[in-house]
Amino acid sequence: MSKPARPRRPARRQSALQTLVIAALDEMKAVNIKVLDVRGLTDFADAMVIASGNSDRHVRAIAQHVVDRAREQQRRPMGVEGGSDGEWVLVDLQDVVVHVMLPRVREFYAIEQLWEQPSVAASTAATAATAAAGPARPSAGARKAARRPRRARSATQ
């Protein structure tokens, strides 16, 4: 039995911080920007913004620009991780978490699918598991019953 999903809060307008982050990503020519509303799924953030860069240098520059723009608005990041490698940089702006990745890293980790609505992800996984298992096989009791001839019941019983 699966645990029922927590109800998601209704969608709302983008926060000022979210708008700031998206504008900073656009200014640096980030690719494939996606905003995920995770308010009903987690307590550590309201939104995740995922974007890609063309190279490790581009990824680092995008993340640094997001940090700089946030600081201009007196929004101090809680932390920045992955800046030394440049394949995946995470910027934690408290209510908004920004992931900037190389396309191959983004495809490998597929964090968009991790944070999808649970009911959609669960039904997709169940469908995939059923398809991989093949057709359902009847139980042993059902197979025996199918082999046994049925006796006709009399009306007096």
Side-chain angles (χ1 to χ4, degrees):
M1 289 219 136
S2 65
K3 193 166 111 177
R6 293 188 317 187
R8 294 186 70 155
R9 295 181 206 161
R12 65 173 186 199
R13 273 189 310 146
Q14 287 184 347
S15 68
L17 181 59
Q18 231 176 311
T19 305
L20 172 92
V21 167
I22 292 170
L25 292 170
D26 279 338
E27 289 170 6
M28 291 300 293
K29 308 280 192 256
V31 182
N32 197 10
I33 300 169
K34 187 167 185 178
V35 179
L36 302 175
D37 181 11
V38 294
R39 285 178 290 149
L41 302 173
T42 184
D43 294 333
F44 67 82
D46 290 341
M48 282 192 193
V49 180
I50 304 165
S52 297
N54 298 324
S55 66
D56 59 345
R57 183 174 284 186
H58 189 215
V59 168
R60 286 192 301 265
I62 292 169
Q64 186 59 49
H65 189 69
V66 169
V67 169
D68 293 343
R69 289 291 306 271
R71 285 187 177 150
E72 288 172 6
Q73 299 295 319
Q74 284 72 42
R75 303 290 285 221
R76 186 169 175 254
M78 294 268 304
V80 178
E81 297 292 328
S84 61
D85 294 335
E87 291 185 349
W88 180 356
V89 181
L90 181 138
V91 180
D92 185 353
L93 295 169
Q94 296 160 359
D95 293 336
V96 177
V97 176
V98 183
H99 298 271
V100 185
M101 309 175 187
L102 289 174
R104 65 179 170 79
V105 174
R106 185 173 178 173
E107 183 181 328
F108 180 77
Y109 287 103
I111 62 174
E112 288 101 332
Q113 285 77 30
L114 289 175
W115 291 100
E116 280 183 340
Q117 195 170 5
S119 61
V120 174
S123 66
T124 303
T127 304
T130 303
R137 187 173 175 193
S139 66
R143 287 192 304 266
K144 282 183 183 177
R147 281 186 262 146
R148 226 180 341 200
R150 297 195 87 171
R151 290 189 289 174
R153 287 188 151 175
S154 65
T156 59
Q157 288 182 345

